[in-house]
């Protein structure tokens, strides 16, 4: 689910929107997320941070237990920066200050210690790994992507996105490459329960459809990087015509979030041989399932009737 080649569209001023990644210090909505949430949040924001703050984030990700044990002066020296920069980093990831960072990293480190047996499984795939190692590592990456995604998913934003989909006259879904597969999955699910929905994986057709949307319609763009030019342009076109826009991405400060009213984030680590990209599809499908079930639940009787009719139609074909 990487960005397509070509220049990125000119970025517009960030609109008011509901951000899909909850700051680690915020009060959780629903069940409390896992302690690793602070690391998930750092990974998601890392590409958007200035170099000095990025070094602090990289140190935290590399060894959370060690950073949690350091004073702010020690961490600043290790990262070749100042204490002020460390504080800025904490605030950039949604924390009040360095003490909150130490607490969050200590909690994350304790969880990693309790799953120490998985440490080698979670490593990157190497050229000498056996097929059994490859299977174990891919399984771990996929399972961790789902766990981390669910742990940081903002339920308030999810509810707003579900509300918009339930009320929508027409639903457009955009995605390129593997993201297009995610869009097609959501299209199949929503269509089966009687929603007027189309998934467009061709950039030109996506723009054409987006140009015909209006107020009361919803457009959903899927992009792991959040910088896929074609998806951003289609979502921007839909938004300019009055449609409510939803983005599903791994990076909450990427280009697609600037044209989205609601942002839902996944939490995936990039690893060797693009296993991270494969895990990103699994994580995005998890978000898609949450959206679908949310919509289906809100129209329970209609959903059951539609599922029964479509099941009967398919069963008669022996499929």
């Amino acid at each position: 689910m990487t960005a397509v080649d070509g220049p990125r569209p000119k970025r517009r001023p960030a609109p008011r929107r509901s951000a899909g990644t909850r700051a680690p210090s915020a009060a959780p909505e629903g069940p409390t997320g896992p302690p690793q949430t602070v690391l998930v949040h750092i990974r998601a924001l890392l590409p958007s941070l200035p170099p000095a703050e990025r070094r602090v984030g990289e140190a935290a990700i590399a060894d959370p237990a060690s950073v949690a044990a350091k004073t702010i002066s020690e961490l600043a020296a290790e990262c070749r920066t100042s204490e002020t920069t460390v504080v800025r980093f904490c605030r950039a990831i949604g924390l009040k200050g360095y003490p909150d960072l130490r607490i969050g990293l200590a909690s994350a480190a304790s969880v990693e210690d309790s799953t120490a047996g998985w440490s080698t499984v979670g490593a990157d795939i190497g050229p000498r790994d056996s097929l059994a190692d490859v299977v174990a590592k891919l399984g771990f990456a996929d399972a961790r992507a789902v766990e981390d995604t669910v742990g940081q998913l903002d339920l308030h934003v999810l509810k707003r996105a579900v509300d918009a989909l339930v009320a929508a006259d027409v639903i457009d879904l955009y995605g390129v490459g593997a993201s297009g597969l995610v869009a097609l999955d959501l299209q199949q699910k929503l269509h089966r329960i009687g929603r007027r929905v189309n998934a467009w994986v061709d950039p030109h057709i996506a723009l054409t459809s987006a140009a015909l949307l209006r107020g009361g319609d919803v457009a959903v763009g899927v992009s792991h990087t959040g910088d896929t030019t074609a998806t951003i342009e289609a979502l921007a076109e839909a938004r300019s015509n009055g449609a409510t826009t939803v983005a599903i991405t791994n990076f909450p400060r990427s280009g697609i979030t600037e044209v989205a009213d609601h942002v839902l984030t996944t939490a995936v680590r990039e690893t060797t041989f693009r296993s991270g990209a494969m895990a990103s599809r699994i994580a995005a499908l998890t978000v898609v399932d949450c959206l679908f079930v949310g919509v289906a639940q809100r129209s329970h009787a209609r959903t059951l009737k539609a599922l029964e009719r479509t099941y009967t139609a398919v069963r008669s074909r022996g499929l």
Side-chain angles (χ1 to χ4, degrees), residues 96-107:
K96 295 179 180 178
Y98 189 60
D100 286 348
L101 178 65
R102 295 181 69 181
I103 292 171
L105 293 178
S107 297

Side-chain angles (χ1 to χ4, degrees), residues 1-3 176-179 182 222-226 228 274 277 280-282 284:
M1 285 185 247
T2 56
V176 174
S179 291
V182 176
V222 185
S223 172
H224 174 67
T225 64
T228 307
R274 303 308 308 281
S280 69
R281 185 181 67 252
I282 301 298

Side-chain angles (χ1 to χ4, degrees), residues 1-318:
M1 285 185 247
T2 56
V4 296
D5 294 335
R8 298 178 184 176
K10 184 177 179 180
R11 294 194 173 184
R12 304 178 183 183
R16 295 180 179 178
R17 63 174 185 274
S18 51
T21 299
R22 184 175 63 240
S25 61
E29 296 82 13
T32 303
Q36 305 99 306
T37 297
V38 66
L39 293 179
V40 169
H41 201 61
I42 292 171
R43 289 190 188 97
L45 295 178
L46 205 59
S48 65
L49 297 175
E53 293 178 29
R54 192 178 307 136
R55 289 197 297 273
V56 178
E58 290 169 346
I61 291 170
D63 194 345
S66 175
V67 171
K70 285 181 169 61
T71 66
I72 189 170
S73 299
E74 290 170 338
L75 180 59
E78 178 185 314
C79 298
R80 308 184 309 281
T81 188
S82 66
E83 295 181 18
T84 301
T85 297
V86 175
V87 173
R88 279 202 302 267
F89 164 78
C90 294
R91 291 175 179 170
I93 65 170
L95 299 175
K96 295 179 180 178
Y98 189 60
D100 286 348
L101 178 65
R102 295 181 69 181
I103 292 171
L105 293 178
S107 297
S110 67
V111 171
E112 291 190 352
D113 287 343
S114 67
T115 57
W118 289 93
S119 60
T120 55
V121 176
D124 284 353
I125 297 172
R128 296 183 179 179
D129 284 339
S130 67
L131 185 58
D133 291 334
V134 170
V135 171
K137 290 181 178 181
L138 287 176
F140 177 84
D142 287 351
R144 191 61 178 269
V146 171
E147 179 185 353
D148 288 347
T149 294
V150 170
Q152 58 80 59
L153 193 60
D154 191 316
L155 300 186
H156 285 325
V157 179
L158 179 64
K159 181 181 183 301
R160 294 187 192 108
V162 169
D163 289 343
L165 289 171
V166 168
D169 296 321
V170 176
I171 302 169
D172 259 11
L173 310 173
Y174 313 129
V176 174
S179 291
L181 299 177
V182 176
L184 287 167
D185 182 79
L186 181 56
Q187 188 269 342
Q188 188 272 338
K189 286 180 167 69
L190 291 176
H191 185 267
R192 191 176 176 189
I193 61 172
R195 299 290 168 173
R196 295 180 58 194
V197 55
N198 291 292
W200 307 111
V201 296
D202 179 283
H204 290 172
I205 299 178
L207 273 174
T208 301
S209 183
L212 298 176
L213 295 183
R214 59 186 181 181
D217 297 333
V218 174
V220 180
V222 185
S223 172
H224 174 67
T225 64
D227 284 325
T228 307
T229 304
T231 305
I232 294 173
E233 290 178 341
L235 208 62
E237 178 65 26
R239 194 169 191 263
S240 70
N241 289 306
T244 298
T245 53
V246 179
I248 301 175
T249 182
N250 201 68
F251 299 99
R253 292 183 183 171
S254 56
I256 198 170
T257 68
E258 297 178 3
V259 295
D261 297 307
H262 309 298
V263 180
L264 296 168
T265 53
T266 56
V268 181
R269 312 179 191 191
E270 290 294 342
T271 54
T272 311
F273 293 127
R274 303 308 308 281
S275 60
M278 288 181 268
S280 69
R281 185 181 67 252
I282 301 298
L285 287 171
T286 299
V287 175
V288 159
D289 283 349
C290 291
L291 286 171
F292 166 70
V293 173
V295 172
Q297 188 181 43
R298 292 279 293 277
S299 51
H300 192 260
R302 172 183 171 182
T303 294
L304 291 181
K305 184 176 180 180
L307 288 175
E308 182 180 355
R309 292 177 63 185
T310 54
Y311 174 74
T312 300
V314 172
R315 184 178 58 180
S316 67
R317 304 291 295 179

